[in-house]
Amino acid sequence: MKKIFFVAVVLFVTNVTIQAQSVKFGVKAGLNYANEIGTNIIVNSINYKTEAITSYHAGLVAQIGLFKGVAFQPELLYSTQGATYTKALVEIQNELGYISIPAILKIDLNKTFSLELGPQASFLLSEKNTFDAKDANTFDFAAVGGLGLKITKSLFLQARYVLGLTEMSKDAQTKNSVVQISAGILF
């Protein structure tokens, strides 16, 4: 029994070591279709309807092979998110600039498509709005899910949904909701 366990551990470590040596770095960029969702969206005591905005994200990617068909993909992105608030003829724009750090587990479904799942931590860097937001949170934690498309050995496309799990502000009781479409290259 000890010999079988020892052989299994050696094979496992060898496989992880071989796969871990396949580390690639790259860049990616793309579009965000961002909105703020919540049950009680109130700004300055007035209930507003939100509309999505189109923005962007860009940054660095690393891909670390763990096993055959499974990789860890940490990223460092600058991402703009937010929404437009409307009520009658009043329109308020809210654009938030985040440094986002997704920690994605990438699982190959076949040679072309992959499933991408994981958490994302974001830190607020800038806020452009036409109203005075009070008690804005500078940290956003989110769940990420999506699909990847491998075009060539180096080129890829991604489609993801990012669902904020923390409230953006005590007053607004809203969370980020972002659909991302990306293109990138690994070196």
Side-chain angles (χ1 to χ4, degrees):
M1 184 67 175
K2 288 181 183 180
K3 289 180 184 180
I4 293 172
F5 179 73
F6 178 73
V7 170
V9 168
V10 168
L11 289 175
F12 176 77
V13 170
T14 302
N15 185 35
V16 169
T17 303
I18 291 170
Q19 292 295 322
Q21 291 176 2
S22 64
V23 176
K24 297 179 182 178
F25 297 96
V27 294
K28 72 179 247 185
L31 295 175
N32 289 347
Y33 185 72
N35 204 347
E36 296 172 1
I37 58 172
T39 56
N40 193 14
I41 300 170
I42 298 174
V43 179
N44 297 334
S45 303
I46 301 171
N47 197 7
Y48 282 80
K49 178 184 172 194
T50 64
E51 294 179 11
I53 63 169
T54 303
S55 56
Y56 66 93
H57 64 275
L60 305 172
V61 178
Q63 187 171 307
I64 304 163
L66 300 176
F67 304 101
K68 184 175 181 176
V70 178
F72 174 62
Q73 186 169 308
E75 301 174 2
L76 180 63
L77 306 173
Y78 179 77
S79 179
T80 56
Q81 301 170 24
T84 299
Y85 294 84
T86 57
K87 175 141 178 118
L89 299 175
V90 178
E91 183 175 286
I92 298 172
Q93 298 258 343
N94 187 26
E95 186 177 302
L96 307 169
Y98 288 99
I99 287 290
S100 297
I101 307 169
I104 304 298
L105 183 64
K106 185 175 177 180
I107 303 166
D108 291 341
L109 301 175
N110 57 34
K111 291 183 179 183
T112 306
F113 292 99
S114 61
L115 180 65
E116 301 176 354
L117 301 167
Q120 174 176 292
S122 297
F123 303 92
L124 185 64
L125 287 184
S126 66
E127 184 172 7
K128 296 178 189 173
N129 56 36
T130 55
F131 67 96
D132 186 21
K134 297 178 183 175
D135 300 322
N137 289 333
T138 58
F139 177 75
D140 184 45
F141 186 73
V144 178
L147 292 174
L149 172 66
K150 188 175 184 181
I151 297 172
T152 67
K153 191 175 182 179
S154 299
L155 295 174
F156 64 88
L157 295 175
Q158 295 171 325
R160 291 184 182 164
Y161 179 66
V162 181
L163 175 63
L165 301 175
T166 55
E167 290 184 356
M168 297 171 54
S169 168
K170 294 176 187 176
D171 294 338
Q173 298 177 354
T174 61
K175 298 176 182 177
N176 281 314
S177 172
V178 184
V179 174
Q180 295 180 325
I181 305 294
S182 309
I185 186 167
L186 294 170
F187 305 106

